Amino acid sequence: MEISLLVLLFIPYLVIKYHLTDHDTPAEKDFIKFQEGIQLYTQGQCEAAFRYFDQQVKQNPKSAVAYAYRGKCNLHDENYYSAIYDLTQALSYDNTLPGCYLDKGKAHLALREYDCAFREFDKAVWFFHNANADAVRFRGLCRLRMHQYQQSARDLHRAVELGDEEARYLLSQPPFYGKAFALTDASE
């Protein structure tokens, strides 16, 4: 009787402890779980990384991270439609992964789908809190393709502020070279 009472008192403690100490999101857990594949990708072994994440998608069909990295591999291999599919799947499971918006925008940009690309880059800039030079530069490039020169210049200048040398180079080329674009209009 005494032992069963202790067990019954101990169960709520375990439940409360688990819920109060386990703050990792499913994506954070997957980033840890999939380190082997992530390392393959970061080391430039995209073919092996694709195989790894393709298997992970089959084993973990609701993993945003597995889809996101398979999408990165498809983007690297210029399989743009497959990349868009994978990144859309990833975002359907976790819409707070800013890298997915950036990669999805890159795929749309490569397909010359500028409106779609702009929307994805704009989301990436927002989720990165306007502090990721790549997201801001790509949004600026997209705006350039859409002939929104004022807004493009503003984005590229912001990317330069964030340390982006590629944006600095772009600002030294036409249509920006030799032209002054007012950077104070923050309506876009």
Side-chain angles (χ1 to χ4, degrees):
M1 173 77 173
E2 198 174 285
I3 293 176
S4 62
L5 182 61
L6 285 174
V7 170
L8 288 175
L9 290 174
F10 189 66
I11 291 173
Y13 167 77
L14 288 176
V15 171
I16 290 170
K17 180 176 171 131
Y18 173 77
H19 286 292
L20 293 179
T21 59
D22 187 24
H23 297 293
D24 292 342
T25 66
E28 289 169 332
K29 291 175 184 174
D30 282 353
F31 278 114
I32 294 166
K33 181 179 176 180
F34 301 143
Q35 274 303 301
E36 178 185 344
I38 292 170
Q39 286 179 351
L40 289 170
Y41 178 80
T42 57
Q43 293 170 352
Q45 299 176 35
C46 289
E47 190 175 314
F50 176 85
R51 285 192 305 272
Y52 177 89
F53 285 110
D54 190 48
Q55 185 63 36
Q56 293 307 320
V57 164
K58 292 172 185 167
Q59 292 175 356
N60 305 282
K62 292 187 178 184
S63 171
V65 175
Y67 274 108
Y69 271 90
R70 191 172 77 173
K72 282 182 173 295
C73 293
N74 276 317
L75 181 63
H76 177 270
D77 291 340
E78 299 179 0
N79 298 325
Y80 300 121
Y81 294 107
S82 295
I84 290 169
Y85 172 81
D86 283 341
L87 296 164
T88 301
Q89 287 298 109
L91 290 168
S92 75
Y93 295 118
D94 186 346
N95 68 349
T96 64
L97 299 174
C100 286
Y101 293 110
L102 181 59
D103 290 338
K104 193 173 171 189
K106 289 176 184 178
H108 283 295
L109 186 63
L111 294 169
R112 299 181 182 193
E113 297 171 347
Y114 302 126
D115 289 334
C116 293
F118 174 79
R119 281 192 299 275
E120 299 303 324
F121 293 137
D122 201 40
K123 291 174 194 173
V125 169
W126 190 84
F127 275 105
F128 278 124
H129 306 291
N130 201 27
N132 180 288
D134 286 338
V136 176
R137 175 175 26 86
F138 273 103
R139 186 175 70 177
L141 279 171
C142 193
R143 284 179 159 162
L144 179 62
R145 299 287 187 268
M146 296 165 67
H147 306 287
Q148 298 174 359
Y149 302 116
Q150 188 78 29
Q151 298 91 338
S152 176
R154 188 173 48 250
D155 280 345
L156 293 174
H157 278 285
R158 174 65 184 141
V160 169
E161 290 172 7
L162 294 169
D164 192 313
E165 291 300 317
E166 191 171 335
R168 183 181 310 280
Y169 172 76
L170 291 168
L171 285 167
S172 72
Q173 302 300 306
F176 305 112
Y177 180 75
K179 295 182 183 173
F181 286 94
L183 300 177
T184 57
D185 178 23
S187 62
E188 295 280 329

